[in-house]
Amino acid sequence: KRGKSPHHDLMRALRVSDSSPQDTATLGIYQVRVWTGRGGAAPISVEAIKPGTEFHMEASIDGTLFSEWAAKAKGFPFRHRSWLEDLDRLARERTAERLRREIDYWQRAGFKGLPYPLLKQISELKKRNGAGFPLQLGFGTGWEGMTIGAPLKDDPRWPEIHRRHGLGKAPKVKTQTPPEEFPASRRVAVGKDGRPRLPLGWVWIGWEVV
């Protein structure tokens, strides 16, 4: 059975424009490895945006989708406008969970150097800054960045979901990461020594009302 149409998804009401263009000088080539408890896989070269680069764009909430006028169409008006208006707080809570898990992962991996301090700095910045939130997006964000992640693992059916879809199962082998330890790897930019230096995809979302 098909689920709800994206046409009726609440996020349709959040309108985000394309960003202003940036110079190609903001791009760099980085060596990226998949890192597990056993070490890193062979590195690959990745073109990525350099740290400190800023992009500017416009965003707004389409209020007409919550109005009585929208009731002329089936499935409207939308409810829960307050969820979008409270996006800052909700995103902070979600990111706080994510950062705790990432910091714990690198601590268990035995790293007292990078990328642990950077994640710690992001966490502290989240606490200090009153307008905005950190967010991990794009290539290298892993399973949690591409799915609902942690909430799914709280579902009592999670072990069965993990088994049925073969999550954490390496190609050509029969072993599988236990559901409580999944995901067991991270993509990370490495230095010349091949050791982790920077986690991928972390950005700071800030705004001002105009």
Side-chain angles (χ1 to χ4, degrees):
K1 184 178 179 180
R2 297 179 64 183
K4 285 187 176 181
S5 164
H7 185 66
H8 296 94
D9 192 291
L10 177 64
M11 295 304 290
R12 178 188 172 188
L14 182 62
R15 305 173 66 179
V16 182
S17 72
D18 291 336
S19 70
S20 55
Q22 270 287 4
D23 192 271
T24 55
T26 61
L27 298 175
I29 302 297
Y30 298 87
Q31 295 297 303
V32 172
R33 302 177 75 174
V34 175
W35 201 269
T36 69
R38 298 182 299 276
I44 60 172
S45 296
V46 171
E47 184 179 51
I49 299 166
K50 293 179 180 178
T53 302
E54 293 187 1
F55 292 91
H56 298 271
M57 60 200 73
E58 296 181 355
S60 62
I61 296 175
D62 186 351
T64 60
L65 297 176
F66 300 90
S67 69
E68 288 304 315
W69 173 85
K72 299 175 183 177
K74 185 178 180 180
F76 294 92
F78 281 163
R79 296 181 297 165
H80 307 303
R81 175 171 178 157
S82 61
W83 291 1
L84 295 181
E85 294 173 338
D86 203 22
L87 186 62
D88 180 23
R89 181 186 63 81
L90 296 172
R92 281 171 174 264
E93 290 180 0
R94 165 70 170 144
T95 301
E97 293 179 48
R98 186 80 184 276
L99 284 167
R100 279 196 297 270
R101 287 192 295 276
E102 292 304 299
I103 289 172
D104 287 346
Y105 175 87
W106 290 107
Q107 283 183 320
R108 291 196 306 271
F111 281 88
K112 295 182 179 179
L114 291 171
Y116 169 77
L118 177 60
L119 292 169
K120 195 74 173 177
Q121 289 173 22
I122 295 172
S123 183
E124 291 302 317
L125 182 61
K126 174 185 66 65
K127 295 175 184 177
R128 291 198 306 267
N129 197 306
F133 54 89
L135 179 70
Q136 192 182 27
L137 50 82
F139 172 81
T141 59
W143 182 75
E144 285 209 46
M146 305 302 290
T147 70
I148 61 173
L152 183 60
K153 294 180 71 173
D154 290 335
D155 192 301
R157 296 168 295 178
W158 164 243
E160 171 59 21
I161 294 171
H162 175 270
R163 183 199 63 77
R164 187 193 317 151
H165 295 284
L167 300 175
K169 193 171 185 179
K172 301 181 181 180
V173 298
K174 295 182 179 180
T175 58
Q176 186 176 11
T177 302
E180 65 275 10
E181 297 178 12
F182 179 83
S185 63
R186 300 291 189 275
R187 273 198 175 92
V188 61
V190 298
K192 292 181 179 179
D193 59 357
R195 304 287 284 174
R197 288 293 180 270
L198 292 171
L200 301 177
W202 282 102
V203 298
W204 180 264
I205 307 294
W207 67 84
E208 60 181 43
V209 179
V210 296

